Amino acid sequence: MPGRKHDGSEQTIPVEPTVHVETFATHCTLTWKAGPLAGFLTAVDTVDGVPPASPVVVDDTSNAGRERCRVPEVDPQETVRYLRVDPERPWTLSWEQRTWPVVSLSGTPPPALCRRLHLRTTDCDGWADDAVQTLARVVANG
């Protein structure tokens, strides 16, 4: 199983779609292929640590520059290329339209949060016990 790495090298969590983990001395970044922005926003609404007043940064190609707003104000249009939620937590959550949509969870997130968001933003049916244990170990060591 993956061990502790502080050099920014990548590890993976064995789920589908795969969760890619980059670990650093003080935090980690978890990323995975996801669905559309509307599904991401629905998943964010279910996270206890993200109150509606949480600040959001949005990069929408129909506007110049990035805008700041709150979660309920985000309109999930196809022109949105990037969205980052900055709750008062030791983690941030983002969605980005790359070749396909990608969700990123950065900082020191609880493993249960990553699992819940992965399940709600993908077609994943569930996580095996070894995937949950691997994620817990990686996040604890990150």
Side-chain angles (χ1 to χ4, degrees):
M1 288 292 154
R4 184 175 185 165
K5 297 182 180 182
H6 294 296
D7 59 359
S9 60
E10 187 175 292
Q11 303 172 67
T12 59
I13 307 301
V15 292
E16 186 59 40
T18 302
V19 175
H20 299 273
V21 182
E22 288 184 276
T23 56
F24 305 94
T26 59
H27 69 283
C28 65
T29 298
L30 305 112
T31 58
W32 60 88
K33 290 181 183 180
L37 178 57
F40 173 80
L41 292 170
T42 299
V44 168
D45 282 341
T46 67
V47 177
D48 293 334
V50 181
S54 292
V56 176
V57 174
V58 179
D59 186 357
D60 186 330
T61 60
S62 64
N63 300 314
R66 290 186 172 181
E67 296 183 334
R68 295 189 179 278
C69 62
R70 295 187 175 141
V71 175
E73 299 167 348
V74 176
D75 187 6
Q77 299 297 317
E78 289 185 19
T79 54
V80 173
R81 308 310 291 165
Y82 175 81
L83 181 141
R84 184 183 69 241
V85 182
D86 293 321
E88 291 186 21
R89 297 282 185 237
W91 46 265
T92 61
L93 179 60
S94 61
W95 179 94
E96 183 175 12
Q97 180 61 53
R98 298 180 187 172
T99 304
W100 52 80
V102 173
V103 168
S104 299
L105 184 56
S106 297
T108 55
L113 173 65
C114 178
R115 180 179 178 218
R116 181 176 23 188
L117 286 168
H118 182 268
L119 290 170
R120 292 188 178 176
T121 60
T122 69
D123 292 335
C124 184
D125 293 331
W127 284 39
D129 290 342
D130 66 325
V132 174
Q133 293 167 359
T134 299
L135 177 62
R137 188 172 44 257
V138 168
V139 170
N141 291 332

